[in-house]
Amino acid sequence: MARSKGRDSLGPAKQRGRRHRVVHVFTEGEVTEPHYIDIIKERGTYADSVMPVAVRIANQNAPGSQRKPVKLVEAAVKLMREERRAAKREGLKKEFWPQVWCLFDRDQHEHVETALKEAREADVRVAFSHPCFEIWRVLHHKPVTGTFNGVCGEATARLPYATSAANIKVVLPEQIVHGSFEQAKKRARQMNAAHGDHVPLSNRDPYTDVFTFVEDGLGIVSY
């Protein structure tokens, strides 16, 4: 990933005569989510082709101990404050202000609701999956029914290539079928609708809203 220089970290620098928006992403996984993001960035159709989105994995080299939801949000909130102050100082229009996102799962983590609350209060966006990100991957191929009792392995087992992939954490381009985003989003909404609004996100099994990150964060409408 190319290093940014100076003011380009905020997004005001021009690329081929166009400004771009920066999205900083904190991922729980070290492999799966970054691989997925790389693939859809290359294959995706963008809502606004005039304003490219520069995506930066903010915790690329972070150890596992710093990848739990609360730790991710703490780091994201700090970065958001720094970026907002810099954007205001530089006089950037809001359309060019950086976004900060966290992608994390329910798994067996503690204090998930606390992390979600702190993110909301700081305007840090979260793409959340229960029990894990693999639910979103499964939805690209088929609907998801039933619950998983918080066990990610049960979700992973539903991937059509789970028994053949050498490393299930690695997302391969051929696993993201052309035109699959719309189907995955539709299935996710149907799945999520089974939970009442009164149920906390951390108790919604299964659940995923990764499609909001794809659309609102990356600006991708299809792939």
Side-chain angles (χ1 to χ4, degrees):
M1 186 175 297
R3 290 183 176 272
S4 59
K5 295 182 179 179
R7 294 174 58 180
D8 190 39
S9 63
L10 295 172
K14 293 186 177 181
Q15 293 182 344
R16 298 180 182 177
R18 301 170 182 169
R19 291 173 178 260
H20 67 279
R21 179 169 59 82
V22 176
V23 177
H24 301 280
V25 188
F26 290 81
T27 66
E28 179 183 342
E30 297 180 49
V31 177
T32 305
E33 293 92 329
H35 276 216
Y36 168 75
I37 291 169
D38 283 343
I39 292 169
I40 66 172
K41 277 169 50 186
E42 181 179 346
R43 296 190 170 199
T45 299
Y46 291 84
D48 186 352
S49 59
V50 175
M51 186 169 69
V53 177
V55 184
R56 299 181 183 158
I57 305 300
N59 63 331
Q60 189 171 13
N61 300 315
S65 61
Q66 297 300 310
R67 291 179 177 270
K68 299 181 186 302
V70 170
K71 293 293 185 180
L72 287 180
V73 170
E74 287 176 352
V77 169
K78 180 180 179 181
L79 178 60
M80 172 61 87
R81 289 171 179 165
E82 294 171 353
E83 291 291 291
R84 285 288 174 84
R85 283 197 296 266
K88 291 178 181 179
R89 186 169 60 248
E90 296 293 336
L92 290 182
K93 295 180 180 179
K94 281 196 173 183
E95 62 188 290
F96 297 120
W97 281 18
Q99 291 186 11
V100 180
W101 282 77
C102 290
L103 273 61
F104 61 78
D105 308 333
R106 178 62 182 89
D107 286 330
Q108 303 299 316
H109 297 305
E110 298 179 346
H111 311 303
V112 171
E113 287 297 330
T114 298
L116 292 168
K117 180 177 181 293
E118 291 179 356
R120 285 193 301 270
E121 291 175 348
D123 203 22
V124 168
R125 298 289 300 272
V126 174
F128 175 73
S129 299
H130 191 320
C132 57
F133 186 82
E134 276 60 43
I135 286 293
W136 174 241
R137 297 172 68 184
V138 172
L139 290 167
H140 284 69
H141 304 276
K142 55 188 175 183
V144 171
T145 57
T147 63
F148 297 87
N149 297 314
V151 180
C152 185
E154 296 294 328
T156 300
R158 296 200 190 184
L159 288 167
Y161 38 83
T163 58
S164 60
N167 185 350
I168 200 65
K169 290 186 178 182
V170 176
V171 182
L172 302 175
E174 57 266 29
Q175 295 168 356
I176 305 297
V177 182
H178 176 69
S180 60
F181 173 69
E182 189 62 35
Q183 281 294 327
K185 181 176 72 171
K186 180 180 178 180
R187 291 165 180 159
R189 284 177 167 167
Q190 291 172 340
M191 180 184 73
N192 296 346
H195 306 289
D197 291 340
H198 65 286
V199 180
L201 277 182
S202 59
N203 292 337
R204 299 183 189 184
D205 181 5
Y207 179 91
T208 186
D209 56 14
V210 173
F211 57 88
T212 62
F213 166 68
V214 175
E215 294 180 321
D216 301 341
L218 304 184
I220 291 174
V221 294
S222 66
Y223 56 73

CSV table of all heavy atoms in Angstrom, one decimal, residues 2-34:
chain,number,residue,atom,x,y,z
A,2,ALA,N,0.6,2.1,-0.9
A,2,ALA,CA,1.5,3.3,-1.0
A,2,ALA,C,1.3,4.2,0.1
A,2,ALA,O,0.2,4.4,0.7
A,2,ALA,CB,1.1,4.0,-2.3
A,3,ARG,N,2.4,4.8,0.6
A,3,ARG,CA,2.4,5.8,1.7
A,3,ARG,C,1.8,7.1,1.2
A,3,ARG,O,2.0,7.5,0.0
A,3,ARG,CB,3.8,6.0,2.2
A,3,ARG,CG,4.3,4.8,3.0
A,3,ARG,CD,5.7,5.2,3.6
A,3,ARG,NE,6.2,4.1,4.3
A,3,ARG,CZ,5.9,3.9,5.6
A,3,ARG,NH1,5.2,4.8,6.3
A,3,ARG,NH2,6.4,2.9,6.3
A,4,SER,N,1.1,7.8,2.0
A,4,SER,CA,0.6,9.1,1.7
A,4,SER,C,1.6,10.1,2.1
A,4,SER,O,2.4,9.9,3.0
A,4,SER,CB,-0.8,9.3,2.4
A,4,SER,OG,-0.6,9.2,3.8
A,5,LYS,N,1.5,11.3,1.6
A,5,LYS,CA,2.4,12.4,1.9
A,5,LYS,C,1.7,13.6,2.3
A,5,LYS,O,0.7,14.0,1.6
A,5,LYS,CB,3.3,12.7,0.8
A,5,LYS,CG,4.3,11.5,0.4
A,5,LYS,CD,5.2,11.9,-0.7
A,5,LYS,CE,6.1,10.7,-1.1
A,5,LYS,NZ,7.0,11.1,-2.2
A,6,GLY,N,2.1,14.2,3.4
A,6,GLY,CA,1.5,15.5,3.8
A,6,GLY,C,0.0,15.5,3.9
A,6,GLY,O,-0.6,14.6,4.5
A,7,ARG,N,-0.5,16.5,3.3
A,7,ARG,CA,-2.0,16.8,3.3
A,7,ARG,C,-2.8,15.7,2.7
A,7,ARG,O,-4.0,15.6,2.9
A,7,ARG,CB,-2.3,18.1,2.7
A,7,ARG,CG,-1.7,19.3,3.5
A,7,ARG,CD,-1.9,20.6,2.8
A,7,ARG,NE,-3.3,20.8,2.6
A,7,ARG,CZ,-3.8,21.9,1.9
A,7,ARG,NH1,-3.0,22.8,1.5
A,7,ARG,NH2,-5.1,22.1,1.8
A,8,ASP,N,-2.2,14.8,1.9
A,8,ASP,CA,-2.9,13.8,1.2
A,8,ASP,C,-3.6,12.8,2.1
A,8,ASP,O,-4.5,12.2,1.8
A,8,ASP,CB,-2.0,13.0,0.3
A,8,ASP,CG,-2.7,12.1,-0.7
A,8,ASP,OD1,-3.8,12.5,-1.2
A,8,ASP,OD2,-2.2,10.9,-0.9
A,9,SER,N,-3.1,12.8,3.4
A,9,SER,CA,-3.8,11.9,4.4
A,9,SER,C,-5.2,12.3,4.6
A,9,SER,O,-6.0,11.5,5.0
A,9,SER,CB,-3.0,11.9,5.7
A,9,SER,OG,-3.0,13.1,6.3
A,10,LEU,N,-5.5,13.5,4.4
A,10,LEU,CA,-6.9,14.0,4.6
A,10,LEU,C,-7.8,13.9,3.4
A,10,LEU,O,-9.0,14.0,3.4
A,10,LEU,CB,-6.9,15.5,5.0
A,10,LEU,CG,-6.2,15.8,6.3
A,10,LEU,CD1,-6.1,17.3,6.5
A,10,LEU,CD2,-7.0,15.2,7.4
A,11,GLY,N,-7.2,13.7,2.2
A,11,GLY,CA,-7.9,13.6,1.0
A,11,GLY,C,-8.1,14.8,0.1
A,11,GLY,O,-8.7,14.7,-0.9
A,12,PRO,N,-7.4,15.9,0.4
A,12,PRO,CA,-7.6,17.0,-0.5
A,12,PRO,C,-6.7,17.0,-1.7
A,12,PRO,O,-6.9,17.8,-2.7
A,12,PRO,CB,-7.2,18.2,0.4
A,12,PRO,CG,-6.2,17.7,1.3
A,12,PRO,CD,-6.6,16.3,1.6
A,13,ALA,N,-5.7,16.1,-1.7
A,13,ALA,CA,-4.8,16.1,-2.9
A,13,ALA,C,-5.5,15.6,-4.1
A,13,ALA,O,-6.4,14.8,-4.0
A,13,ALA,CB,-3.6,15.2,-2.6
A,14,LYS,N,-5.1,16.0,-5.2
A,14,LYS,CA,-5.8,15.6,-6.5
A,14,LYS,C,-5.1,14.4,-7.1
A,14,LYS,O,-3.9,14.2,-7.1
A,14,LYS,CB,-5.7,16.7,-7.5
A,14,LYS,CG,-6.6,18.0,-7.0
A,14,LYS,CD,-6.6,19.0,-8.1
A,14,LYS,CE,-7.5,20.2,-7.7
A,14,LYS,NZ,-7.6,21.2,-8.8
A,15,GLN,N,-6.0,13.5,-7.6
A,15,GLN,CA,-5.6,12.3,-8.3
A,15,GLN,C,-6.1,12.5,-9.7
A,15,GLN,O,-7.3,12.4,-9.9
A,15,GLN,CB,-6.1,11.0,-7.7
A,15,GLN,CG,-5.5,10.7,-6.3
A,15,GLN,CD,-6.1,9.4,-5.8
A,15,GLN,OE1,-7.1,8.9,-6.3
A,15,GLN,NE2,-5.4,8.9,-4.8
A,16,ARG,N,-5.2,12.7,-10.7
A,16,ARG,CA,-5.7,12.9,-12.0
A,16,ARG,C,-6.7,14.0,-12.1
A,16,ARG,O,-7.7,14.0,-12.8
A,16,ARG,CB,-6.3,11.6,-12.6
A,16,ARG,CG,-5.3,10.4,-12.7
A,16,ARG,CD,-6.0,9.2,-13.3
A,16,ARG,NE,-5.1,8.1,-13.3
A,16,ARG,CZ,-5.4,6.9,-13.7
A,16,ARG,NH1,-6.6,6.6,-14.2
A,16,ARG,NH2,-4.5,5.9,-13.7
A,17,GLY,N,-6.4,15.1,-11.3
A,17,GLY,CA,-7.2,16.2,-11.4
A,17,GLY,C,-8.5,16.1,-10.5
A,17,GLY,O,-9.3,17.0,-10.5
A,18,ARG,N,-8.7,15.0,-9.8
A,18,ARG,CA,-9.9,14.9,-9.0
A,18,ARG,C,-9.5,14.7,-7.5
A,18,ARG,O,-8.5,14.1,-7.2
A,18,ARG,CB,-10.6,13.6,-9.4
A,18,ARG,CG,-11.0,13.6,-10.9
A,18,ARG,CD,-11.5,12.2,-11.2
A,18,ARG,NE,-11.9,12.2,-12.7
A,18,ARG,CZ,-12.2,11.0,-13.3
A,18,ARG,NH1,-12.1,9.9,-12.7
A,18,ARG,NH2,-12.5,11.1,-14.6
A,19,ARG,N,-10.3,15.2,-6.6
A,19,ARG,CA,-10.1,15.0,-5.2
A,19,ARG,C,-10.6,13.6,-4.9
A,19,ARG,O,-11.4,13.0,-5.6
A,19,ARG,CB,-10.9,16.0,-4.4
A,19,ARG,CG,-10.3,17.4,-4.5
A,19,ARG,CD,-11.3,18.4,-3.9
A,19,ARG,NE,-10.7,19.8,-4.0
A,19,ARG,CZ,-10.0,20.4,-3.0
A,19,ARG,NH1,-9.8,19.7,-1.9
A,19,ARG,NH2,-9.6,21.6,-3.1
A,20,HIS,N,-10.2,13.1,-3.7
A,20,HIS,CA,-10.6,11.8,-3.3
A,20,HIS,C,-11.0,11.8,-1.8
A,20,HIS,O,-10.5,12.6,-1.0
A,20,HIS,CB,-9.6,10.7,-3.6
A,20,HIS,CG,-8.3,10.8,-2.8
A,20,HIS,ND1,-7.3,11.7,-3.1
A,20,HIS,CD2,-7.9,10.2,-1.7
A,20,HIS,CE1,-6.3,11.6,-2.3
A,20,HIS,NE2,-6.6,10.7,-1.4
A,21,ARG,N,-11.8,10.8,-1.4
A,21,ARG,CA,-12.2,10.7,0.0
A,21,ARG,C,-11.4,9.5,0.6
A,21,ARG,O,-11.2,8.5,0.0
A,21,ARG,CB,-13.7,10.4,0.1
A,21,ARG,CG,-14.2,10.2,1.5
A,21,ARG,CD,-15.7,10.2,1.5
A,21,ARG,NE,-16.3,9.2,0.7
A,21,ARG,CZ,-16.4,7.9,1.0
A,21,ARG,NH1,-16.0,7.5,2.2
A,21,ARG,NH2,-17.0,7.1,0.2
A,22,VAL,N,-10.9,9.7,1.9
A,22,VAL,CA,-10.2,8.7,2.5
A,22,VAL,C,-11.0,7.9,3.5
A,22,VAL,O,-11.8,8.5,4.3
A,22,VAL,CB,-8.9,9.3,3.3
A,22,VAL,CG1,-8.2,8.2,4.0
A,22,VAL,CG2,-8.0,10.0,2.3
A,23,VAL,N,-10.9,6.6,3.5
A,23,VAL,CA,-11.6,5.8,4.5
A,23,VAL,C,-10.6,4.9,5.2
A,23,VAL,O,-9.8,4.2,4.6
A,23,VAL,CB,-12.6,4.8,3.8
A,23,VAL,CG1,-13.3,3.9,4.8
A,23,VAL,CG2,-13.7,5.6,3.1
A,24,HIS,N,-10.5,5.2,6.5
A,24,HIS,CA,-9.6,4.4,7.4
A,24,HIS,C,-10.4,3.2,8.0
A,24,HIS,O,-11.5,3.4,8.6
A,24,HIS,CB,-9.1,5.3,8.5
A,24,HIS,CG,-8.3,6.5,8.1
A,24,HIS,ND1,-7.0,6.4,7.6
A,24,HIS,CD2,-8.7,7.8,7.9
A,24,HIS,CE1,-6.6,7.6,7.3
A,24,HIS,NE2,-7.6,8.5,7.4
A,25,VAL,N,-9.8,2.0,7.9
A,25,VAL,CA,-10.6,0.8,8.4
A,25,VAL,C,-9.7,0.1,9.4
A,25,VAL,O,-8.6,-0.3,9.2
A,25,VAL,CB,-10.9,-0.1,7.2
A,25,VAL,CG1,-11.8,-1.2,7.6
A,25,VAL,CG2,-11.5,0.7,6.0
A,26,PHE,N,-10.4,-0.2,10.5
A,26,PHE,CA,-9.8,-1.1,11.5
A,26,PHE,C,-10.5,-2.4,11.5
A,26,PHE,O,-11.7,-2.5,11.6
A,26,PHE,CB,-10.0,-0.5,12.9
A,26,PHE,CG,-9.2,0.8,13.2
A,26,PHE,CD1,-9.6,2.0,12.8
A,26,PHE,CD2,-8.0,0.7,14.0
A,26,PHE,CE1,-8.9,3.2,13.0
A,26,PHE,CE2,-7.3,1.8,14.2
A,26,PHE,CZ,-7.7,3.1,13.8
A,27,THR,N,-9.7,-3.5,11.2
A,27,THR,CA,-10.3,-4.8,11.0
A,27,THR,C,-10.0,-5.7,12.2
A,27,THR,O,-8.8,-5.7,12.6
A,27,THR,CB,-9.9,-5.4,9.7
A,27,THR,OG1,-8.5,-5.7,9.7
A,27,THR,CG2,-10.2,-4.5,8.5
A,28,GLU,N,-10.9,-6.5,12.6
A,28,GLU,CA,-10.6,-7.5,13.6
A,28,GLU,C,-9.7,-8.6,13.1
A,28,GLU,O,-8.7,-9.0,13.7
A,28,GLU,CB,-11.9,-8.1,14.1
A,28,GLU,CG,-11.7,-9.2,15.2
A,28,GLU,CD,-12.9,-9.9,15.7
A,28,GLU,OE1,-14.0,-9.3,15.4
A,28,GLU,OE2,-12.9,-11.0,16.2
A,29,GLY,N,-10.0,-9.0,11.9
A,29,GLY,CA,-9.2,-10.1,11.2
A,29,GLY,C,-7.9,-9.5,10.6
A,29,GLY,O,-7.9,-8.4,10.0
A,30,GLU,N,-6.9,-10.2,10.6
A,30,GLU,CA,-5.6,-9.8,10.0
A,30,GLU,C,-5.6,-10.2,8.5
A,30,GLU,O,-4.8,-9.6,7.7
A,30,GLU,CB,-4.4,-10.5,10.7
A,30,GLU,CG,-4.2,-10.1,12.1
A,30,GLU,CD,-3.1,-10.7,12.8
A,30,GLU,OE1,-2.0,-10.7,12.2
A,30,GLU,OE2,-3.2,-11.3,13.9
A,31,VAL,N,-6.4,-11.1,8.1
A,31,VAL,CA,-6.3,-11.7,6.7
A,31,VAL,C,-7.6,-11.5,6.0
A,31,VAL,O,-7.7,-10.9,4.9
A,31,VAL,CB,-5.9,-13.2,6.7
A,31,VAL,CG1,-5.9,-13.7,5.3
A,31,VAL,CG2,-4.6,-13.4,7.4
A,32,THR,N,-8.7,-12.0,6.5
A,32,THR,CA,-10.0,-12.2,5.8
A,32,THR,C,-10.5,-10.8,5.3
A,32,THR,O,-10.8,-10.6,4.1
A,32,THR,CB,-11.0,-12.9,6.6
A,32,THR,OG1,-10.5,-14.1,7.0
A,32,THR,CG2,-12.3,-13.1,5.8
A,33,GLU,N,-10.8,-9.9,6.2
A,33,GLU,CA,-11.4,-8.6,5.8
A,33,GLU,C,-10.5,-7.8,4.8
A,33,GLU,O,-11.0,-7.3,3.8
A,33,GLU,CB,-11.7,-7.8,7.0
A,33,GLU,CG,-12.8,-8.4,7.9
A,33,GLU,CD,-12.3,-9.3,9.0
A,33,GLU,OE1,-11.2,-9.9,8.8
A,33,GLU,OE2,-12.9,-9.4,10.1
A,34,PRO,N,-9.2,-7.7,5.1
A,34,PRO,CA,-8.3,-7.0,4.1
A,34,PRO,C,-8.3,-7.6,2.7
A,34,PRO,O,-8.3,-6.9,1.7
A,34,PRO,CB,-6.9,-7.0,4.8
A,34,PRO,CG,-7.2,-7.1,6.2
A,34,PRO,CD,-8.4,-8.0,6.4
